[in-house]
Amino acid sequence: MYKITIECLDVASGPGPQAAIDIEQEFRAHRTWHERPSCSYADGKLLLVACNNFDADGRALLDEFWDCLAAYLGQHGAMQILSVEQA
């Protein structure tokens, strides 16, 4: 099992907190192959943490996070994988 942490920068403070809630709910309800998703907003950043057993480099989660950001925010800043750890 891999625990993956991804951040998205330059998220506006207006929609940021609600986007975190919406994205976490999206992963819990519709992207269940990623386990224990958690999305939070602070200081202009969205942070997504989730676990799965197939994404050793974090790119699958990054791609799905990007899809959610496009749907819930539209514009946002750079994204990066902060860590992929054995869980």
Side-chain angles (χ1 to χ4, degrees):
M1 181 79 61
Y2 302 102
K3 179 181 177 185
I4 304 156
T5 304
I6 301 173
E7 75 176 354
C8 177
L9 306 174
D10 301 324
V11 176
S13 61
Q18 186 61 51
I21 292 167
D22 293 341
I23 289 168
E24 183 172 322
Q25 289 177 346
E26 168 76 19
F27 274 88
R28 288 185 184 277
H30 302 291
R31 301 169 192 252
T32 56
W33 48 93
H34 298 289
E35 300 175 15
R36 302 186 303 270
S38 172
C39 190
S40 59
Y41 173 81
D43 302 321
K45 297 178 190 175
L46 279 171
L47 189 70
L48 176 66
V49 179
C51 297
N52 63 50
N53 61 0
F54 59 87
D55 194 11
D57 62 6
R59 291 176 138 177
L61 183 63
L62 179 73
D63 185 53
E64 292 192 49
F65 189 25
W66 189 93
D67 290 344
C68 286
L69 289 165
Y72 291 105
L73 282 179
Q75 293 188 308
H76 56 80
M79 298 174 63
Q80 64 182 346
I81 298 167
L82 296 179
S83 65
V84 178
E85 306 168 7
Q86 289 284 341

